[in-house]
């Protein structure tokens, strides 16, 4: 029987699948801290971590018996993967199942900021309005506009499929260009970073966070965008310089922004909260019943496979598994 630490409350599916093992669930309302992790991991064989769980070198050193860190999320920048690998510890994630939910949220907040839906809701709930009028509460259409997508993997492509239904023109940028066939299927054109910045009416980010992509979007990038353009980020907060985004929004350099992630998450730059041309959501890209249940299942199955000395379902690193 393996001892497994689950670093926070998750859907019950994981516990159901892990019922033959000894499972300890961290149930405090606050997020688990590095100090608490170091105290709890000493005798466990597996850690089921959340995106907010800091799996640092110190935690890994304290986890003397751990064979796998199964991250509950597609991302894994909360884990020192290189150090875990050097210790022979498997690291896994829950990719793919988040694709549709995140793409839907992306398009939802894009529409919300362009059509001023949040502003309209607040107006109706507070002082109200005097009725329909030709110049009242105008927003910006998406149909026929150009959507720039930075990062054209599974989620980026899923966003493109939805944009195609809105008759949008799609330009994408990433290090590797896709096949001509796939570009035609998605009605997408590959362009340079400058082309994406200068031609897009909406720009949305769908790439993982890496140190070299820190502040991918800052003052220089915002000034290259159209002053009628909108910036959307449902990927990772540190991809954008939040203060320089605030400055661009206040100065009218760009028209608006919609953010599901934040540079210093869970903290949000105060000035963003006061801007009416910004939509803010609390990192809920994959927060659907369906997706979170599927993530719970995959994380648990990764642990089950490693405990049985079989390869994991969705490995992040490569560790030799005994036969």
């Amino acid at each position: 029987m393996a001892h497994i630490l689950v670093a926070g409350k998750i859907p019950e599916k994981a516990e159901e699948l892990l019922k033959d093992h000894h499972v300890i669930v961290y149930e405090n309302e606050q997020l688990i801290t590095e100090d608490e992790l170091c105290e709890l991991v000493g005798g466990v064989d597996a850690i089921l971590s959340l995106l907010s769980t800091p799996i640092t070198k110190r935690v890994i050193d304290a986890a003397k018996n751990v064979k796998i860190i199964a991250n509950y999320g597609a991302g894994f920048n909360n884990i020192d993967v290189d150090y875990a690998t050097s210790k022979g510890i498997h690291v896994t994630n829950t990719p793919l199942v988040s694709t549709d939910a995140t793409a839907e949220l992306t398009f939802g907040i894009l529409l919300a900021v362009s059509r001023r839906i949040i502003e309209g809701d607040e107006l109706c709930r507070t002082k109200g309005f005097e009725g329909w009028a030709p110049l009242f509460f105008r927003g910006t259409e998406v149909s026929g506009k150009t959507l720039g997508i930075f990062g054209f993997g599974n989620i980026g492509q899923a966003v493109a499929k939805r944009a195609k239904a809105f008759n949008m023109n799609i330009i994408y940028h990433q290090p590797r260009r896709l096949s001509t066939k796939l570009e035609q299927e998605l009605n997408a054109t590959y362009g340079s970073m400058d082309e994406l910045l200068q031609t897009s009416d909406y720009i949305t980010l769908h790439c993982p966070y890496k140190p070299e992509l820190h502040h991918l979007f800052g003052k220089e990038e915002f000034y290259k965008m159209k002053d009628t353009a909108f910036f959307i980020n449902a990927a990772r907060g540190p991809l954008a310089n939040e203060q320089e985004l605030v400055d661009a929004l206040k100065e009218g350099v760009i028209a608006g922004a919609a953010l599901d992630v934040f540079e210093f998450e869970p903290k949000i730059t105060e000035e963003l909260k006061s801007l009416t041309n910004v939509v803010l959501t609390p990192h809920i890209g994959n927060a659907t019943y369906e997706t979170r249940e599927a993530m719970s299942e995959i994380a648990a199955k990764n642990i089950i496979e490693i405990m049985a000395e079989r390869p994991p379902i969705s490995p992040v690193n490569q560790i030799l598994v005994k036969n």
Side-chain angles (χ1 to χ4, degrees):
M1 178 185 289
H3 286 66
I4 301 162
L5 172 66
V6 180
K9 295 180 183 178
I10 63 175
E12 295 177 357
K13 187 67 175 180
E15 286 189 68
E16 292 173 11
L17 290 169
L18 296 169
K19 64 182 184 299
D20 294 333
H21 301 283
H22 180 63
V23 178
I24 305 161
V25 180
Y26 180 84
E27 295 189 346
N28 290 6
E29 290 185 7
Q30 294 82 15
L31 298 176
I32 195 167
T33 66
E34 185 181 14
D35 288 341
E36 289 172 315
L37 276 166
C38 288
E39 291 176 10
L40 293 171
V41 298
V44 304
D45 302 291
I47 302 170
L48 199 162
S49 54
L50 315 185
L51 283 173
S52 54
T53 309
I55 309 294
T56 61
K57 287 183 180 180
R58 182 173 162 233
V59 172
I60 292 169
D61 283 338
K64 303 294 185 184
N65 301 320
V66 163
K67 300 175 181 65
I68 177 173
I69 301 164
N71 218 37
Y72 183 88
F76 44 85
N77 52 294
N78 57 305
I79 301 170
D80 191 327
V81 176
D82 290 340
Y83 195 62
T85 303
S86 74
K87 295 290 185 178
I89 299 171
H90 293 269
V91 178
T92 63
N93 64 344
T94 58
L96 302 180
V97 291
S98 299
T99 298
D100 286 334
T102 305
E104 288 175 2
L105 187 279
T106 297
F107 226 87
I109 59 177
L110 184 154
L111 288 168
V113 70
S114 66
R115 293 304 306 273
R116 304 174 64 185
I117 292 172
I118 308 302
E119 285 183 82
D121 179 83
E122 183 178 2
L123 181 66
C124 289
R125 293 173 187 271
T126 54
K127 64 182 181 181
F129 67 108
E130 297 178 359
W132 185 94
L135 303 182
F136 175 66
F137 226 79
R138 289 179 292 178
T140 303
E141 293 184 13
V142 301
S143 299
K145 300 294 176 62
T146 296
L147 175 65
I149 303 177
F150 187 97
F152 213 52
N154 292 312
I155 296 174
Q157 291 175 35
V159 170
K161 289 175 183 176
R162 286 153 178 79
K164 187 177 178 181
F166 278 81
N167 194 34
M168 297 187 81
N169 303 306
I170 300 157
I171 181 172
Y172 74 97
H173 180 75
Q174 61 180 10
R176 180 179 58 84
R177 183 172 182 172
L178 300 180
S179 68
T180 302
K181 180 181 177 182
L182 190 52
E183 287 182 346
Q184 290 173 346
E185 288 177 7
L186 296 170
N187 190 34
T189 301
Y190 182 81
S192 67
M193 183 64 164
D194 276 351
E195 287 174 319
L196 183 139
L197 292 169
Q198 293 166 9
T199 64
S200 299
D201 299 296
Y202 299 87
I203 291 179
T204 179
L205 308 187
H206 297 292
C207 57
Y209 176 76
K210 304 174 185 177
E212 58 266 32
L213 294 181
H214 187 74
H215 287 179
L216 172 70
F217 272 73
K219 181 177 180 179
E220 181 179 349
E221 288 72 30
F222 294 130
Y223 268 84
K224 287 182 180 179
M225 292 170 61
K226 298 178 180 180
D227 59 10
T228 55
F230 294 85
F231 176 74
I232 319 294
N233 188 6
R236 290 291 179 265
L239 292 170
N241 184 316
E242 214 159 84
Q243 186 56 57
E244 291 182 2
L245 172 60
V246 167
D247 294 341
L249 290 163
K250 291 171 69 174
E251 295 167 14
V253 173
I254 61 174
L259 308 174
D260 184 50
V261 291
F262 306 94
E263 183 176 359
F264 307 106
E265 194 169 314
K267 293 181 180 179
I268 301 172
T269 299
E270 284 298 319
E271 289 174 282
L272 283 171
K273 301 176 187 179
S274 63
L275 297 174
T276 58
N277 57 342
V278 178
V279 168
L280 307 173
T281 51
H283 202 151
I284 56 173
N286 60 20
T288 64
Y289 288 103
E290 297 88 349
T291 293
R292 293 289 170 87
E293 187 83 2
M295 291 166 63
S296 184
E297 180 176 355
I298 292 170
K301 285 184 174 178
N302 276 317
I303 292 173
I304 290 168
E305 293 303 298
I306 293 300
M307 292 302 108
E309 297 189 345
R310 295 189 296 262
I313 297 169
S314 49
V316 169
N317 61 354
Q318 295 296 321
I319 302 292
L320 182 65
V321 178
K322 297 177 183 178
N323 292 318

